[in-house]
């Protein structure tokens, strides 16, 4: 009876299936949260709007999609909120690059025109990444797509800023910050990443002003000497003590500075004399504050030398020096170094020192430098005025909540990193000297100088009596992360008390890359706790692994080792991509892919899809339109094989569900694979084939098959949504409106669990496998039918084998099967775990004489090897001279050969060789 599956093409063609199914899911509103049910919420880590989908995003988002689809099928109101980040520095950089190609800078355009230009760019390319997420099957709630710079979101950012201001948690700090001379902005500590570098340590002589000689200082950045205002020594260091209170002359800068005592000096470093550049080094700044030193800036914002105040551009184009930059009386930067880049200046200064006999030595000195996380430029520490958030009181309750177990971070190995950062949290520099972003809502009255933060743009100063002077807004914008740290609730409409906020906050799972644990994750935890009544934004933070190439390098544009997931989708389909990435890495582990060999890399996924399609075609071809539901069949008619596969289905449901709940997605996928392949296709389908062909008996087997395949497809759906939907639609009894994407997750059924059937059918499988391996061992061709005897331990087993006699005979290709008879005198034995045995008669199956000869020759060869080796091992001089591991290896070898000989002896006996 031809089933409904005959319209399935013989080859699975993902391209003809995936786009139309995705469209159908969209049209049916599958991705919207159900109106009822307990919510399950994931907010997407918003990609930068300039981002292009790469395989790393793909992994991250596929993990989220698997979790969301799983919970959706479990009946929860699943909300996966998507969106993009305006990505201040990154986006501004892209547009500035475009301008540079036209020979212009942002200052040529002016602020308003530049920002308009960025908006135009955003409108043009802004949702590219969103469209790409659809291609990899993401089931986001697109109706709630957010952008961190849209109007409602901007109100949330302003609310957060002003309320922190009102609480006294925002302050203006005058201190050394991380400055990117390329992006021309301050960076937070987290945005200035540490990188190892093979630098040098330069030992430089500073002449004593009294003419009594020199002291030697050591530095990795000689160019900063132009900004030195003191040399410090540890007060207990005998090398430095005699010099305290004297003065030295800084070469090249040609200024006199004092030698002072400071306990912060590390006596073990260099010569014990430390030069102090308060304006260009964070630690030196602290020393400068303690000793009330002058703090001259000797470098401009673009990293060239110079101290000309008019070159301090500020954030609104060239203007006079910024408020708190101290003025200097005389120039420390010689004219010939004015405008020279800091690294070129370093070379020239070192050359000059050498020429003047003031360079003692240069030693290689590997150390760490900070680089801009956006453009990789070496960050310049720089004295500057910036806005900071006091973090300590925000971090403390979150750390306590973590230690109480109120939320968890998986894998657990990130605990130390997280705790260390939270314990040592530093204030957060949130102002950026950019134009693209949320402008800082701090206003200053130009008449009375009053400064305040405001939720709305003020027209007049609240402090001046009737009509004050004009009001100026701070020119800087907020750190991008100051908007994205509000993502779990600003996206739902906070500070408005919307239904969405009530329903979808707090959320449940956050899936993201470990690189942004500090930049983003911990800050969201803090903002959620602080602004949302001490309720944390999620219960679990899942830190994914990284996708790397076969040399273990991260994928990157500059290395040219990236993989565009769209290429994989075009070649092999979305499910193949998803299956490979999910199956390729366990919780938090890296996934290795080979960009030069997509075919091999994605073969697991492609092969899986093809196999699933083929088994699907076969099963569907066996199922009549009116297949009996499992619950309407007479359970008494179930065979051992039926009971076994139904029981295996329950175990699979349990294990796959547990694995997904524990975020072990790869294990869930593997368990489903085993069920479909090893259990359902290889054993059950093979076992029931004759019944399927037998009109009257077919119905029961069809019912079991339909149930098991249905379960398998549902369990697999979160990982491979397209092919499972396509096959599931074809199962008998489906109505046109049915979708696996919103059907129920299979529930484990106690009435179908059957430990006895599990154990008994396992023995049937073992018997068949034993016979198959004997066939392989003796190289018996498949067409040769064998005579086998099974000698059973325990009389109760006989019924099992009697019931499956036909299956054993057919699958093991037997001529006869004797149960519990006397074993034939000559035959190959295999023993079960409980001592039962299967014996295959070899007479007639093989050319005994020829096999005896072959085995005897092999036996002789082994005997010779063993005796030679034994002789060596009993030779005292060999054993005492040779290294211990060599001797141990030789002994192992001898043992293996002896074991092989025992096996041979058994075979020779079995064949009755003389
Ligand atoms: Zn930069
Ligand atoms: Zn005023």
């Amino acid at each position: 009876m031809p089933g409904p599956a005959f319209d399935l093409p013989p080859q699975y063609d993902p391209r003809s299936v995936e786009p139309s199914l995705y469209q159908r899911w969209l049209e049916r509103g599958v991705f919207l949260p159900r109106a009822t049910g307990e919510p399950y919420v994931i907010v997407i880590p918003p990609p930068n709007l300039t981002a292009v989908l790469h395989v790393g995003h793909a992994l991250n988002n596929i993990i989220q999609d698997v979790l969301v689809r799983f919970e959706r099928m479990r009946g929860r109101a699943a909300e996966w909120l998507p969106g993009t980040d305006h990505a201040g520095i990154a986006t501004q950089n892209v547009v500035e690059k475009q301008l540079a190609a036209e020979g212009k800078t942002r200052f040529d355009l002016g602020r308003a025109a530049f920002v308009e230009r960025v908006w135009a760019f955003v409108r043009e390319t802004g949702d590219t990444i969103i469209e790409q997420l659809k291609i990899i099957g993401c089931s986001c709630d697109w109706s709630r797509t957010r952008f961190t710079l849209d109007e409602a979101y901007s109100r949330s950012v302003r609310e957060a800023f002003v309320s922190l201001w009102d609480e006294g948690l925002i302050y203006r700090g005058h201190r050394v910050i991380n400055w990117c001379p390329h992006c021309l902005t301050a960076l937070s500590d987290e945005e200035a990443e540490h990188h190892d570098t093979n630098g040098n340590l330069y030992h430089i002589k500073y002449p004593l002003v009294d003419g009594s000689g020199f002291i030697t200082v050591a530095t990795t950045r000689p160019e900063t000497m132009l900004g030195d205002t003191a040399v410090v020594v540890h007060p207990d260091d005998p090398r430095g003590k005699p010099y305290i209170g004297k003065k030295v002359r800084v070469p090249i800068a040609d200024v006199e500075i004092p030698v002072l005592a400071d306990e912060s000096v590390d006596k073990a470093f260099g010569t014990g004399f430390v030069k102090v550049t308060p304006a260009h080094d964070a630690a030196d700044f602290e020393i400068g504050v303690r000793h009330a030193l002058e703090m001259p800036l000797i470098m401009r914002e673009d990293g060239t030398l110079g101290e000309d105040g008019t070159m301090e551009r500020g954030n609104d184009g060239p203007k006079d020096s910024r408020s708190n930059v101290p003025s200097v009386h005389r120039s420390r930067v010689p004219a010939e170094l004015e405008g020279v880049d800091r690294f070129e200046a370093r070379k020239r200064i070192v050359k000059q020192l050498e020429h003047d006999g003031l360079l003692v030595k240069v030693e290689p000195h590997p150390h760490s430098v900070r680089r801009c996380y956006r453009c990789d430029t070496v960050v310049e520490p720089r004295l500057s005025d910036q806005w900071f958030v006091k973090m300590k009181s925000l971090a403390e309750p979150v750390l306590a909540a973590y230690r109480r177990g109120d939320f968890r971070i998986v894998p657990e190995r990130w605990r130390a990193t997280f705790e260390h950062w939270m314990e040592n949290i530093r204030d957060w520099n949130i102002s950026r000297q950019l134009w693209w972003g949320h402008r800082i809502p701090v206003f200053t009255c130009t008449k009375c100088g009053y400064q305040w933060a405001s939720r709305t743009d003020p027209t007049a100063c609240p402090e001046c009596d009737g009509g004050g002077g004009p009001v100026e807004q701070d020119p800087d914008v907020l750190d991008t992360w100051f908007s994205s740290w509000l993502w779990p609730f600003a996206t739902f409409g906070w500070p408005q008390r919307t239904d969405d906020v009530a329903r979808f906050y707090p959320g449940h799972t956050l899936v993201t890359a470990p690189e942004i644990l500090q930049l983003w994750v911990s800050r969201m935890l803090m903002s959620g706790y602080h602004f949302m009544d001490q309720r944390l934004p999620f219960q679990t933070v899942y830190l994914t692994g990284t996708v790397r190439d076969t040399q273990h390098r991260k994928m990157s544009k500059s290395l040219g080792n990236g993989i565009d997931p769209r290429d994989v989708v075009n070649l092999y389909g979305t499910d193949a991509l998803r299956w490979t990435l999910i199956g390729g890495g366990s919780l938090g582990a890296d996934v290795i892919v080979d960009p030069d060999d997509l075919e091999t890399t994605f073969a697991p996924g492609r092969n899986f899809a093809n196999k699933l399609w083929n088994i699907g075609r076969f099963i569907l071809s066996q199922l009549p339109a009116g297949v009996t539901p499992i619950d309407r069949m007479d359970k008494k008619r179930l065979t051992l094989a039926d009971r076994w596969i139904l029981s295996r289905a329950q175990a699979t449901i349990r294990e796959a569900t547990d694995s997904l709940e524990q975020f072990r997605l790869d294990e869930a996928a593997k368990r489903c694979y085993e069920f479909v392949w090893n259990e359902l296709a290889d054993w059950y389908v093979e076992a029931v084939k004759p019944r399927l062909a037998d009109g009257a008996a077919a119905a029961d087997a069809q019912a079991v098959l339909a149930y098991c395949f249905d379960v398998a497809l549902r369990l697999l759906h979160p990982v491979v949504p397209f092919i499972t939907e396509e096959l599931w639609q074809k199962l008998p009894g489906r109505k046109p409106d049915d979708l696996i994407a919103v059907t129920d997750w299979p529930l484990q059924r106690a009435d179908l669990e059957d430990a006895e059937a599990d154990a008994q059918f396992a023995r049937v499988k073992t018997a068949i496998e034993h016979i198959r391996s004997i066939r392989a061992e003796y190289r018996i061709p498949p067409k040769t039918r064998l005579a086998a005897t099974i000698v059973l331990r325990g009389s109760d087993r006989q019924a099992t084998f009697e019931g499956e006699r036909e299956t054993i005979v057919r699958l093991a290709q037997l001529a006869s099967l004797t149960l519990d008879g006397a074993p034939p005198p000559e035959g190959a034995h295999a023993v079960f775990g409980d001592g039962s045995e299967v014996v295959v008669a070899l007479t007639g199956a093989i050319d005994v004489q020829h096999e005896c000869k072959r085995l005897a020759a092999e036996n002789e060869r082994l005997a010779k090897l063993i005796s030679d080796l034994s002789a060596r091992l009993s030779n005292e001089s060999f054993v005492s001279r040779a290294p211990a591991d060599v001797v141990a290896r030789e002994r192992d070898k001898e043992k293996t050969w002896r074991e092989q000989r025992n096996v041979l002896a058994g075979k020779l006996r079995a064949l009755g060789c003389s």
Side-chain angles (χ1 to χ4, degrees), residues 896-908:
T896 312
W897 287 340
R898 284 192 192 281
E899 278 161 10
Q900 286 173 358
R901 245 194 118 196
N902 280 340
V903 174
L904 270 183
K907 283 191 187 175
L908 285 163

Side-chain angles (χ1 to χ4, degrees), residues 743-780:
T743 197
D744 296 337
W745 186 252
L747 286 180
Q748 195 185 340
R749 289 175 51 164
D751 63 319
L752 296 179
E753 279 175 48
D754 193 334
E756 194 188 55
D758 267 353
Q760 289 177 349
F761 196 79
R763 291 162 60 79
V764 170
K765 279 171 62 194
T766 308
I768 295 165
E769 280 162 349
H770 277 326
I771 297 167
R772 284 174 177 169
S773 60
I774 287 170
R775 188 185 286 278
E777 205 176 322
Y778 288 94
R779 304 168 194 193
I780 305 167

Side-chain angles (χ1 to χ4, degrees), residues 89 93 180-185 187 372-377 379:
I89 304 183
N93 273 350
C180 177
H182 176 258
C183 300
L184 295 178
T185 180
L187 301 171
C372 171
Y373 81 133
R374 277 294 157 224
C375 74
D376 211 37
T377 300
V379 161

